Amino acid sequence: MLSLLTLFVHQGWQVTFASPAQQGEHKVDLTELSINEQTVALNCSSFDDFINELNPNIVLFDRFMLEEQFGWRVAKHCPDALRILDTEDLHSLRHARHQALKQNRPLNKADLNSDMAKREIAAIFRCDLSLIISDYELDLLKKHYSVPEHILLHCPFMLDLQHFSPSTNSYADRQHFISIGNFRHEPNWDAVLFLKQHIWPLIRKQLPKAELHIYGAYPPPKATQLHNAKQGFLVKGWAEDAKQVMQQARVCLAPLRFGAGIKGKLAEAMFCGTPNVTTNIGIEGMTMGLDWPGLTTDLNSFDSFEDSAQNIANHAVQLYQEQSLWQQKQQQGYQLLKTNFAKDEVQAKLLARITDIQNKLSTHRADNFIGQMLQHHQLKSTQYMAQWIEAKNR
């Protein structure tokens, strides 16, 4: 989201960031980017006055829940505004995988056709353009959900690599393992538990002096209680400088068992020259045909958590101890970043698509009948529900 906002500002566009969320303690100060910040209320007609006065040319929704809440109001009061959905990742896919994991079974079609999926895919259809961060999810949307390609755009990370320089911290300069990620994000918390209960004891058997440093925002008591210095399992919490702690570690561990989108923690590890050990979920949508800058475990190839944990642990020890392999994976990480996530090409494609759709908005919408149909019904059902909630709250 910050990459998108920065891009829009650099185009000379006037940008307003409107949010109903409470401000968090680690919030970015958008006013430093000359972005106007506005608080808006859920289920409240005050948004109608706000959007009418603002009268935007483009409205970007951050995830499908915000499109559900505000999309019909934008369509009603600013019908000519281009509506873009930033999916971030497919929430319904992450939810489906989580349900399958909890029930210890493979993902099936019923999981993909959940109520959440119906809501999320409907939001994608209703928008003029949806930004899809993963090529895997782009393919899923087109083939499984039959979403028209002209309302989708593959839009991965947009990283500023123009002045990028490799890390000066060599293999010998580094020590220990690192795992990083917001504790409020369920896949990250599951990965921490997987490390604690299954993987880390196996690593410590082979590397008794190694430490695992776990960083992440908003660590709950259940996370800090896992801290155990004798076991080398150190829950550090919030990192003031994530890149600094990442560059001090020799190997990044990301044993993700479910999730969606592409992983910022792994992109940051590559940026810092830190090879990683992860899973098929971790690398999804990030390779785009290139070699992975680490060692991976395909969780679907194992019958038990114990077997997959042993494989991950073996990979971790191997990458930690073999300097030549570590250096090879570090270089592959630099190459993958430059090839897949350099911002210039991604930004150019996005701006070109926005311009193209704006120039033929009526035709573009006419070619998406399902979206028009869903917009019609959502405008009615959501409008009346929102008006009922507003009246009830008076």
Side-chain angles (χ1 to χ4, degrees), residues 288-301:
M288 302 182 216
L290 297 183
D291 292 329
W292 183 250
L295 299 178
T296 63
T297 293
D298 186 350
L299 298 176
N300 299 319
S301 301

Side-chain angles (χ1 to χ4, degrees), residues 2 26-35 37:
L2 192 58
H26 305 305
K27 173 189 171 296
V28 174
D29 185 2
L30 296 178
T31 59
E32 293 183 352
L33 296 173
S34 300
I35 293 175
E37 296 186 74

Side-chain angles (χ1 to χ4, degrees), residues 63-65 67-68 85 87-94 114-126 130 141:
R63 311 178 195 196
F64 80 92
M65 297 81 76
E67 189 280 336
E68 283 184 327
L85 174 61
T87 59
E88 302 282 357
D89 59 27
L90 288 184
H91 291 52
S92 56
L93 176 61
R94 172 165 24 98
S114 67
D115 287 347
M116 181 181 290
K118 294 182 178 79
R119 291 171 54 200
E120 187 166 30
I121 305 307
I124 290 172
F125 268 103
R126 284 191 297 264
S130 289
L141 288 169

Side-chain angles (χ1 to χ4, degrees), residues 2 99 151 214:
L2 192 58
Q99 297 308 304
I151 65 170
I214 298 178

Side-chain angles (χ1 to χ4, degrees), residues 189 196 220-228 233 235:
W189 172 238
K196 175 69 174 181
K222 64 181 181 180
T224 55
Q225 289 170 5
L226 297 179
H227 180 93
N228 189 316
F233 196 91
V235 180

Side-chain angles (χ1 to χ4, degrees), residues 148-164:
E149 190 167 4
H150 76 285
I151 65 170
L152 301 173
L153 179 67
H154 183 214
C155 191
F157 293 144
M158 296 176 277
L159 304 182
D160 186 358
L161 303 173
Q162 189 173 7
H163 304 293
F164 171 77

Side-chain angles (χ1 to χ4, degrees), residues 199-208 310 317:
I199 300 170
W200 186 244
L202 299 173
I203 295 175
R204 282 278 284 192
K205 281 184 180 179
Q206 301 181 66
L207 300 173
Q310 185 66 66
V317 173

